[in-house]
Amino acid sequence: MNLFEKRPFAVGKRDLHLMAGLMWSGVGIMLGSYAYHWLKSLPSLPLLLLTLTGFLLASLIYIFGFSKLAQKNIHRIRRLSGKRHSIFSFQKWTSYPLVVVMVSLGIYLRKYSPLPKPVLGATYIGIGGGLFSSSMHYFTYLWKEYRPTRKDRILDD
């Protein structure tokens, strides 16, 4: 039995996968929302160029970064021993300092950076799009792993 099995803030592996997917999706949507507000008043050509740049960045970030990280995280959660785990176990404990750095960098860029907001918008589309796209790995895993089988559906009727 691990330390968290009887704690009220402990959850099962399915909940950890769901929490990770929701967190990645939520942060991706939040970053996309910032980008939208920074880009929406631009003329058509700069808007198109910055948006396409952001989507290109999102694709690269997804392919070479967050997608692989999400897959590793899914496998790590699957390998956890015991039935219940801390709600913070949806990512490795060693990842939390990186999260603090990334959040701090995001706040700095939004509030104090001399970079124009539209340029930050393309960057936020890239990071947010990479996160959101990678979050789909969690939901796909949950769907494949926990959907009722045909036999289960027949028994429920």
mmCIF file of all heavy atoms in Angstrom, residues 119-153:
data_model
loop_
_atom_site.group_PDB
_atom_site.id
_atom_site.type_symbol
_atom_site.label_atom_id
_atom_site.label_comp_id
_atom_site.label_asym_id
_atom_site.label_seq_id
_atom_site.Cartn_x
_atom_site.Cartn_y
_atom_site.Cartn_z
ATOM 1 N N VAL A 119 3.423 39.254 -31.476
ATOM 2 C CA VAL A 119 4.505 38.265 -31.560
ATOM 3 C C VAL A 119 4.333 37.233 -30.442
ATOM 4 O O VAL A 119 4.490 36.025 -30.659
ATOM 5 C CB VAL A 119 5.894 38.944 -31.485
ATOM 6 C CG1 VAL A 119 7.003 37.918 -31.372
ATOM 7 C CG2 VAL A 119 6.098 39.846 -32.689
ATOM 8 N N LEU A 120 3.973 37.709 -29.263
ATOM 9 C CA LEU A 120 3.688 36.779 -28.172
ATOM 10 C C LEU A 120 2.481 35.905 -28.521
ATOM 11 O O LEU A 120 2.427 34.735 -28.146
ATOM 12 C CB LEU A 120 3.407 37.533 -26.866
ATOM 13 C CG LEU A 120 4.602 38.174 -26.180
ATOM 14 C CD1 LEU A 120 4.158 38.906 -24.924
ATOM 15 C CD2 LEU A 120 5.649 37.137 -25.844
ATOM 16 N N GLY A 121 1.535 36.481 -29.248
ATOM 17 C CA GLY A 121 0.361 35.722 -29.665
ATOM 18 C C GLY A 121 0.743 34.507 -30.490
ATOM 19 O O GLY A 121 0.217 33.411 -30.277
ATOM 20 N N ALA A 122 1.657 34.676 -31.428
ATOM 21 C CA ALA A 122 2.109 33.538 -32.240
ATOM 22 C C ALA A 122 2.794 32.497 -31.355
ATOM 23 O O ALA A 122 2.582 31.289 -31.517
ATOM 24 C CB ALA A 122 3.055 34.015 -33.341
ATOM 25 N N THR A 123 3.585 32.954 -30.400
ATOM 26 C CA THR A 123 4.258 32.046 -29.472
ATOM 27 C C THR A 123 3.243 31.301 -28.614
ATOM 28 O O THR A 123 3.363 30.095 -28.397
ATOM 29 C CB THR A 123 5.237 32.837 -28.577
ATOM 30 O OG1 THR A 123 6.131 33.570 -29.406
ATOM 31 C CG2 THR A 123 6.013 31.924 -27.652
ATOM 32 N N TYR A 124 2.237 32.019 -28.132
ATOM 33 C CA TYR A 124 1.208 31.399 -27.302
ATOM 34 C C TYR A 124 0.368 30.409 -28.105
ATOM 35 O O TYR A 124 -0.060 29.387 -27.581
ATOM 36 C CB TYR A 124 0.324 32.465 -26.661
ATOM 37 C CG TYR A 124 0.856 32.990 -25.352
ATOM 38 C CD1 TYR A 124 2.199 33.304 -25.183
ATOM 39 C CD2 TYR A 124 0.019 33.178 -24.270
ATOM 40 C CE1 TYR A 124 2.681 33.788 -23.985
ATOM 41 C CE2 TYR A 124 0.486 33.664 -23.065
ATOM 42 C CZ TYR A 124 1.819 33.961 -22.921
ATOM 43 O OH TYR A 124 2.282 34.431 -21.723
ATOM 44 N N ILE A 125 0.110 30.702 -29.385
ATOM 45 C CA ILE A 125 -0.582 29.727 -30.235
ATOM 46 C C ILE A 125 0.270 28.462 -30.330
ATOM 47 O O ILE A 125 -0.244 27.346 -30.245
ATOM 48 C CB ILE A 125 -0.857 30.288 -31.649
ATOM 49 C CG1 ILE A 125 -1.937 31.359 -31.595
ATOM 50 C CG2 ILE A 125 -1.273 29.169 -32.610
ATOM 51 C CD1 ILE A 125 -2.132 32.093 -32.915
ATOM 52 N N GLY A 126 1.577 28.645 -30.486
ATOM 53 C CA GLY A 126 2.476 27.501 -30.589
ATOM 54 C C GLY A 126 2.467 26.634 -29.347
ATOM 55 O O GLY A 126 2.258 25.416 -29.421
ATOM 56 N N ILE A 127 2.669 27.249 -28.208
ATOM 57 C CA ILE A 127 2.724 26.478 -26.961
ATOM 58 C C ILE A 127 1.344 25.933 -26.603
ATOM 59 O O ILE A 127 1.191 24.759 -26.257
ATOM 60 C CB ILE A 127 3.311 27.331 -25.818
ATOM 61 C CG1 ILE A 127 4.761 27.703 -26.154
ATOM 62 C CG2 ILE A 127 3.236 26.579 -24.486
ATOM 63 C CD1 ILE A 127 5.358 28.752 -25.249
ATOM 64 N N GLY A 128 0.333 26.792 -26.696
ATOM 65 C CA GLY A 128 -1.027 26.365 -26.373
ATOM 66 C C GLY A 128 -1.521 25.281 -27.314
ATOM 67 O O GLY A 128 -2.151 24.306 -26.885
ATOM 68 N N GLY A 129 -1.239 25.436 -28.600
ATOM 69 C CA GLY A 129 -1.643 24.420 -29.570
ATOM 70 C C GLY A 129 -0.932 23.102 -29.346
ATOM 71 O O GLY A 129 -1.531 22.029 -29.468
ATOM 72 N N GLY A 130 0.344 23.169 -29.005
ATOM 73 C CA GLY A 130 1.094 21.949 -28.702
ATOM 74 C C GLY A 130 0.539 21.239 -27.480
ATOM 75 O O GLY A 130 0.388 20.013 -27.475
ATOM 76 N N LEU A 131 0.223 22.009 -26.450
ATOM 77 C CA LEU A 131 -0.358 21.423 -25.240
ATOM 78 C C LEU A 131 -1.726 20.819 -25.521
ATOM 79 O O LEU A 131 -2.016 19.685 -25.126
ATOM 80 C CB LEU A 131 -0.494 22.485 -24.143
ATOM 81 C CG LEU A 131 0.745 22.817 -23.346
ATOM 82 C CD1 LEU A 131 0.522 24.056 -22.499
ATOM 83 C CD2 LEU A 131 1.133 21.648 -22.460
ATOM 84 N N PHE A 132 -2.590 21.583 -26.189
ATOM 85 C CA PHE A 132 -3.943 21.107 -26.453
ATOM 86 C C PHE A 132 -3.913 19.847 -27.317
ATOM 87 O O PHE A 132 -4.605 18.865 -27.025
ATOM 88 C CB PHE A 132 -4.789 22.195 -27.122
ATOM 89 C CG PHE A 132 -6.216 21.792 -27.290
ATOM 90 C CD1 PHE A 132 -7.102 21.899 -26.234
ATOM 91 C CD2 PHE A 132 -6.671 21.285 -28.498
ATOM 92 C CE1 PHE A 132 -8.431 21.500 -26.377
ATOM 93 C CE2 PHE A 132 -7.985 20.889 -28.650
ATOM 94 C CZ PHE A 132 -8.872 21.000 -27.595
ATOM 95 N N SER A 133 -3.121 19.865 -28.371
ATOM 96 C CA SER A 133 -3.031 18.696 -29.248
ATOM 97 C C SER A 133 -2.516 17.475 -28.484
ATOM 98 O O SER A 133 -3.031 16.368 -28.642
ATOM 99 C CB SER A 133 -2.104 18.977 -30.428
ATOM 100 O OG SER A 133 -2.585 20.045 -31.192
ATOM 101 N N SER A 134 -1.522 17.685 -27.656
ATOM 102 C CA SER A 134 -0.951 16.577 -26.887
ATOM 103 C C SER A 134 -1.913 16.058 -25.825
ATOM 104 O O SER A 134 -1.859 14.882 -25.461
ATOM 105 C CB SER A 134 0.363 17.010 -26.238
ATOM 106 O OG SER A 134 1.302 17.332 -27.232
ATOM 107 N N SER A 135 -2.792 16.915 -25.337
ATOM 108 C CA SER A 135 -3.765 16.469 -24.338
ATOM 109 C C SER A 135 -4.686 15.402 -24.909
ATOM 110 O O SER A 135 -5.235 14.582 -24.164
ATOM 111 C CB SER A 135 -4.588 17.651 -23.809
ATOM 112 O OG SER A 135 -5.548 18.079 -24.765
ATOM 113 N N MET A 136 -4.835 15.376 -26.222
ATOM 114 C CA MET A 136 -5.702 14.380 -26.844
ATOM 115 C C MET A 136 -5.172 12.959 -26.638
ATOM 116 O O MET A 136 -5.937 12.003 -26.652
ATOM 117 C CB MET A 136 -5.872 14.666 -28.339
ATOM 118 C CG MET A 136 -6.605 15.955 -28.637
ATOM 119 S SD MET A 136 -8.250 16.005 -27.894
ATOM 120 C CE MET A 136 -8.137 17.510 -26.932
ATOM 121 N N HIS A 137 -3.874 12.824 -26.393
ATOM 122 C CA HIS A 137 -3.323 11.500 -26.082
ATOM 123 C C HIS A 137 -3.953 10.937 -24.810
ATOM 124 O O HIS A 137 -4.245 9.743 -24.729
ATOM 125 C CB HIS A 137 -1.805 11.551 -25.923
ATOM 126 C CG HIS A 137 -1.064 11.752 -27.200
ATOM 127 N ND1 HIS A 137 -0.977 10.790 -28.174
ATOM 128 C CD2 HIS A 137 -0.382 12.826 -27.670
ATOM 129 C CE1 HIS A 137 -0.271 11.249 -29.182
ATOM 130 N NE2 HIS A 137 0.102 12.480 -28.904
ATOM 131 N N TYR A 138 -4.136 11.801 -23.815
ATOM 132 C CA TYR A 138 -4.753 11.353 -22.561
ATOM 133 C C TYR A 138 -6.190 10.898 -22.798
ATOM 134 O O TYR A 138 -6.613 9.849 -22.311
ATOM 135 C CB TYR A 138 -4.733 12.471 -21.513
ATOM 136 C CG TYR A 138 -3.355 12.842 -21.050
ATOM 137 C CD1 TYR A 138 -2.721 13.980 -21.542
ATOM 138 C CD2 TYR A 138 -2.683 12.063 -20.118
ATOM 139 C CE1 TYR A 138 -1.449 14.321 -21.122
ATOM 140 C CE2 TYR A 138 -1.404 12.401 -19.685
ATOM 141 C CZ TYR A 138 -0.796 13.533 -20.196
ATOM 142 O OH TYR A 138 0.454 13.875 -19.776
ATOM 143 N N PHE A 139 -6.950 11.693 -23.540
ATOM 144 C CA PHE A 139 -8.350 11.354 -23.768
ATOM 145 C C PHE A 139 -8.495 10.123 -24.650
ATOM 146 O O PHE A 139 -9.392 9.304 -24.432
ATOM 147 C CB PHE A 139 -9.088 12.564 -24.361
ATOM 148 C CG PHE A 139 -9.035 13.766 -23.467
ATOM 149 C CD1 PHE A 139 -8.567 14.975 -23.952
ATOM 150 C CD2 PHE A 139 -9.413 13.697 -22.138
ATOM 151 C CE1 PHE A 139 -8.506 16.092 -23.127
ATOM 152 C CE2 PHE A 139 -9.346 14.806 -21.301
ATOM 153 C CZ PHE A 139 -8.893 16.007 -21.802
ATOM 154 N N THR A 140 -7.619 9.982 -25.623
ATOM 155 C CA THR A 140 -7.637 8.786 -26.472
ATOM 156 C C THR A 140 -7.326 7.551 -25.634
ATOM 157 O O THR A 140 -7.988 6.514 -25.762
ATOM 158 C CB THR A 140 -6.623 8.917 -27.625
ATOM 159 O OG1 THR A 140 -6.955 10.072 -28.395
ATOM 160 C CG2 THR A 140 -6.610 7.693 -28.505
ATOM 161 N N TYR A 141 -6.329 7.664 -24.778
ATOM 162 C CA TYR A 141 -5.988 6.546 -23.891
ATOM 163 C C TYR A 141 -7.187 6.195 -23.008
ATOM 164 O O TYR A 141 -7.539 5.018 -22.871
ATOM 165 C CB TYR A 141 -4.780 6.886 -23.014
ATOM 166 C CG TYR A 141 -4.555 5.850 -21.938
ATOM 167 C CD1 TYR A 141 -3.959 4.636 -22.245
ATOM 168 C CD2 TYR A 141 -4.989 6.076 -20.641
ATOM 169 C CE1 TYR A 141 -3.790 3.663 -21.274
ATOM 170 C CE2 TYR A 141 -4.823 5.110 -19.667
ATOM 171 C CZ TYR A 141 -4.226 3.909 -19.987
ATOM 172 O OH TYR A 141 -4.069 2.951 -19.028
ATOM 173 N N LEU A 142 -7.817 7.195 -22.404
ATOM 174 C CA LEU A 142 -8.972 6.936 -21.545
ATOM 175 C C LEU A 142 -10.094 6.258 -22.323
ATOM 176 O O LEU A 142 -10.728 5.326 -21.825
ATOM 177 C CB LEU A 142 -9.477 8.242 -20.919
ATOM 178 C CG LEU A 142 -8.626 8.784 -19.781
ATOM 179 C CD1 LEU A 142 -9.010 10.223 -19.473
ATOM 180 C CD2 LEU A 142 -8.764 7.915 -18.544
ATOM 181 N N TRP A 143 -10.349 6.733 -23.530
ATOM 182 C CA TRP A 143 -11.413 6.143 -24.333
ATOM 183 C C TRP A 143 -11.111 4.674 -24.642
ATOM 184 O O TRP A 143 -11.966 3.810 -24.488
ATOM 185 C CB TRP A 143 -11.587 6.941 -25.626
ATOM 186 C CG TRP A 143 -12.564 6.301 -26.559
ATOM 187 C CD1 TRP A 143 -12.279 5.657 -27.720
ATOM 188 C CD2 TRP A 143 -13.977 6.219 -26.400
ATOM 189 N NE1 TRP A 143 -13.426 5.179 -28.293
ATOM 190 C CE2 TRP A 143 -14.492 5.505 -27.498
ATOM 191 C CE3 TRP A 143 -14.860 6.671 -25.424
ATOM 192 C CZ2 TRP A 143 -15.835 5.247 -27.661
ATOM 193 C CZ3 TRP A 143 -16.209 6.410 -25.593
ATOM 194 C CH2 TRP A 143 -16.680 5.705 -26.694
ATOM 195 N N LYS A 144 -9.892 4.405 -25.056
ATOM 196 C CA LYS A 144 -9.527 3.018 -25.411
ATOM 197 C C LYS A 144 -9.502 2.110 -24.185
ATOM 198 O O LYS A 144 -9.911 0.955 -24.246
ATOM 199 C CB LYS A 144 -8.160 2.990 -26.091
ATOM 200 C CG LYS A 144 -8.179 3.540 -27.491
ATOM 201 C CD LYS A 144 -6.788 3.508 -28.083
ATOM 202 C CE LYS A 144 -6.782 4.071 -29.491
ATOM 203 N NZ LYS A 144 -5.419 4.104 -30.046
ATOM 204 N N GLU A 145 -9.014 2.624 -23.086
ATOM 205 C CA GLU A 145 -8.808 1.801 -21.897
ATOM 206 C C GLU A 145 -10.091 1.575 -21.095
ATOM 207 O O GLU A 145 -10.275 0.509 -20.520
ATOM 208 C CB GLU A 145 -7.757 2.468 -21.001
ATOM 209 C CG GLU A 145 -7.269 1.620 -19.871
ATOM 210 C CD GLU A 145 -6.417 0.437 -20.306
ATOM 211 O OE1 GLU A 145 -5.882 0.436 -21.427
ATOM 212 O OE2 GLU A 145 -6.294 -0.497 -19.504
ATOM 213 N N TYR A 146 -10.967 2.547 -21.047
ATOM 214 C CA TYR A 146 -12.091 2.484 -20.112
ATOM 215 C C TYR A 146 -13.473 2.456 -20.758
ATOM 216 O O TYR A 146 -14.467 2.394 -20.047
ATOM 217 C CB TYR A 146 -12.020 3.658 -19.128
ATOM 218 C CG TYR A 146 -10.810 3.569 -18.238
ATOM 219 C CD1 TYR A 146 -9.713 4.384 -18.454
ATOM 220 C CD2 TYR A 146 -10.752 2.645 -17.199
ATOM 221 C CE1 TYR A 146 -8.582 4.291 -17.648
ATOM 222 C CE2 TYR A 146 -9.632 2.556 -16.399
ATOM 223 C CZ TYR A 146 -8.556 3.376 -16.617
ATOM 224 O OH TYR A 146 -7.456 3.277 -15.816
ATOM 225 N N ARG A 147 -13.559 2.505 -22.076
ATOM 226 C CA ARG A 147 -14.890 2.440 -22.687
ATOM 227 C C ARG A 147 -15.480 1.052 -22.443
ATOM 228 O O ARG A 147 -14.759 0.052 -22.392
ATOM 229 C CB ARG A 147 -14.824 2.754 -24.168
ATOM 230 C CG ARG A 147 -14.207 1.654 -24.976
ATOM 231 C CD ARG A 147 -14.235 1.954 -26.441
ATOM 232 N NE ARG A 147 -13.531 0.874 -27.119
ATOM 233 C CZ ARG A 147 -12.938 0.987 -28.258
ATOM 234 N NH1 ARG A 147 -12.950 2.142 -28.874
ATOM 235 N NH2 ARG A 147 -12.331 -0.028 -28.801
ATOM 236 N N PRO A 148 -16.787 1.013 -22.310
ATOM 237 C CA PRO A 148 -17.404 -0.291 -22.110
ATOM 238 C C PRO A 148 -17.243 -1.155 -23.360
ATOM 239 O O PRO A 148 -17.308 -0.648 -24.475
ATOM 240 C CB PRO A 148 -18.876 0.019 -21.866
ATOM 241 C CG PRO A 148 -19.028 1.483 -21.961
ATOM 242 C CD PRO A 148 -17.710 2.095 -22.275
ATOM 243 N N THR A 149 -17.019 -2.417 -23.156
ATOM 244 C CA THR A 149 -16.924 -3.331 -24.296
ATOM 245 C C THR A 149 -18.334 -3.636 -24.791
ATOM 246 O O THR A 149 -19.325 -3.347 -24.121
ATOM 247 C CB THR A 149 -16.235 -4.647 -23.893
ATOM 248 O OG1 THR A 149 -17.054 -5.285 -22.906
ATOM 249 C CG2 THR A 149 -14.849 -4.400 -23.341
ATOM 250 N N ARG A 150 -18.423 -4.243 -25.950
ATOM 251 C CA ARG A 150 -19.730 -4.607 -26.506
ATOM 252 C C ARG A 150 -20.453 -5.550 -25.541
ATOM 253 O O ARG A 150 -21.648 -5.432 -25.311
ATOM 254 C CB ARG A 150 -19.547 -5.257 -27.868
ATOM 255 C CG ARG A 150 -20.839 -5.523 -28.582
ATOM 256 C CD ARG A 150 -20.559 -6.026 -30.000
ATOM 257 N NE ARG A 150 -21.707 -5.988 -30.841
ATOM 258 C CZ ARG A 150 -22.740 -6.812 -30.776
ATOM 259 N NH1 ARG A 150 -22.775 -7.724 -29.830
ATOM 260 N NH2 ARG A 150 -23.735 -6.717 -31.618
ATOM 261 N N LYS A 151 -19.719 -6.460 -24.956
ATOM 262 C CA LYS A 151 -20.303 -7.416 -24.011
ATOM 263 C C LYS A 151 -20.894 -6.682 -22.803
ATOM 264 O O LYS A 151 -21.994 -6.994 -22.349
ATOM 265 C CB LYS A 151 -19.232 -8.404 -23.557
ATOM 266 C CG LYS A 151 -19.711 -9.449 -22.592
ATOM 267 C CD LYS A 151 -18.555 -10.365 -22.211
ATOM 268 C CE LYS A 151 -18.937 -11.271 -21.087
ATOM 269 N NZ LYS A 151 -17.810 -12.059 -20.609
ATOM 270 N N ASP A 152 -20.162 -5.667 -22.272
ATOM 271 C CA ASP A 152 -20.655 -4.900 -21.138
ATOM 272 C C ASP A 152 -21.940 -4.153 -21.502
ATOM 273 O O ASP A 152 -22.869 -4.071 -20.695
ATOM 274 C CB ASP A 152 -19.610 -3.884 -20.661
ATOM 275 C CG ASP A 152 -18.385 -4.550 -20.064
ATOM 276 O OD1 ASP A 152 -18.510 -5.707 -19.619
ATOM 277 O OD2 ASP A 152 -17.329 -3.917 -20.064
ATOM 278 N N ARG A 153 -22.000 -3.608 -22.710
ATOM 279 C CA ARG A 153 -23.191 -2.863 -23.132
ATOM 280 C C ARG A 153 -24.391 -3.792 -23.258
ATOM 281 O O ARG A 153 -25.498 -3.435 -22.918
ATOM 282 C CB ARG A 153 -22.923 -2.128 -24.433
ATOM 283 C CG ARG A 153 -21.986 -0.945 -24.264
ATOM 284 C CD ARG A 153 -21.946 -0.081 -25.505
ATOM 285 N NE ARG A 153 -21.506 -0.811 -26.678
ATOM 286 C CZ ARG A 153 -20.271 -0.799 -27.168
ATOM 287 N NH1 ARG A 153 -19.339 -0.091 -26.577
ATOM 288 N NH2 ARG A 153 -19.967 -1.470 -28.264
#
